[in-house]
Amino acid sequence: MRSLGRNEFEKDGYRLSQVRDYNNLKNFDCGDDDLNEYFREDVIKYHSELLSQAYIIQRVTVGDDFPVALIDLCNDAVRHEKFKIEHPIDKTTVDDKTRVFPAVKITRFGVQKEFQGNNIGSHIVNMVRDMFLIDNRTGCRLVTVDAYNNPRALNFYQSNGFDFFTGKDKEQSTRSMFFDLKRLRI
């Protein structure tokens, strides 16, 4: 992966960069009305309130600004107690004083309909992982997501190495999941 600047990366013909022109998002359609509404309308408010940052994924070889996918990220923190029950975290680098693990959260993620089914979503998740392993600015141990509780979303994240925090949210509309970035450093 090639870093082009502070928040811009290229990998295998795709560029991930911060959204700068929100007008480019008006025709985005990932097939999910809730996600479409967020990226077309709500994303500007979340950005202006410093709650999250949207990233656009585009093909490098095509000269247009049309998004292949959009992903929204924010800071997160996971208390150690959340792991104690079902997922013991590697204690070799964590002392008893470590109570919170820094994380980045995928708050929204959608792939444009005509690009779905081509492993682009997995490629983008890998780009996000790389983004926080290469030039990690503040420390980031985990990638988290509250995935829609439907087979398609859950299978996607599980096939990309995410684990469930707990089984207690099986009946909720979303399931809390995580990926431990340290697994990629071994």
Side-chain angles (χ1 to χ4, degrees):
M1 181 147 99
R2 186 168 65 105
S3 178
L4 303 172
R6 180 166 167 77
N7 291 309
E8 189 171 3
F9 300 92
E10 279 185 12
K11 184 176 182 179
D12 300 329
Y14 292 94
R15 178 179 296 124
L16 180 142
S17 57
Q18 285 182 326
V19 171
R20 302 271 186 234
D21 183 356
Y22 291 96
N23 290 321
N24 291 339
L25 312 184
K26 296 296 182 199
N27 294 319
F28 180 75
D29 185 2
C30 66
D32 181 289
D33 291 338
D34 183 48
L35 286 173
N36 289 339
E37 179 184 337
Y38 177 80
F39 283 118
R40 291 175 186 167
E41 300 171 23
D42 301 336
V43 71
I44 296 170
K45 179 181 176 187
Y46 278 73
H47 177 73
S48 68
E49 292 295 326
L50 304 176
L51 298 175
S52 64
Q53 176 62 56
Y55 288 83
I56 187 169
I57 296 83
Q58 299 162 299
R59 293 180 290 180
V60 174
T61 56
V62 178
D64 66 17
D65 291 333
F66 191 75
V68 170
L70 297 168
I71 192 165
D72 204 53
L73 304 174
C74 75
N75 293 322
D76 197 5
V78 177
R79 294 204 165 281
H80 185 249
E81 296 85 42
K82 202 164 189 176
F83 283 105
K84 284 184 180 178
I85 300 168
E86 299 182 34
H87 297 285
I89 207 151
D90 179 7
K91 292 294 245 172
T92 59
T93 59
V94 179
D95 60 29
D96 290 333
K97 294 178 183 174
T98 304
R99 301 282 182 240
V100 177
F101 292 97
V104 63
K105 184 174 207 151
I106 299 171
T107 61
R108 307 286 194 299
F109 180 33
V111 175
Q112 181 70 24
K113 284 194 311 191
E114 59 262 30
F115 296 101
Q116 293 177 1
N118 296 311
N119 290 321
I120 290 174
S122 296
H123 182 67
I124 294 164
V125 167
N126 287 328
M127 289 178 82
V128 169
R129 289 176 188 156
D130 288 348
M131 186 166 85
F132 286 93
L133 284 172
I134 301 167
D135 288 338
N136 192 349
R137 291 161 185 83
T138 61
C140 181
R141 175 70 182 262
L142 305 170
V143 179
T144 62
V145 65
D146 290 335
Y148 286 142
N149 192 0
N150 65 54
R152 184 176 181 203
L154 298 178
N155 289 337
F156 170 77
Y157 285 107
Q158 284 181 300
S159 70
N160 281 285
F162 283 74
D163 295 310
F164 294 105
F165 277 114
T166 181
K168 295 178 183 176
D169 58 1
K170 284 183 180 180
E171 303 303 317
Q172 302 298 316
S173 61
T174 60
R175 301 282 314 269
S176 293
M177 302 178 80
F178 73 97
F179 181 90
D180 188 352
L181 290 170
K182 188 172 178 199
R183 291 181 3 198
L184 301 176
R185 284 243 168 127
I186 296 175

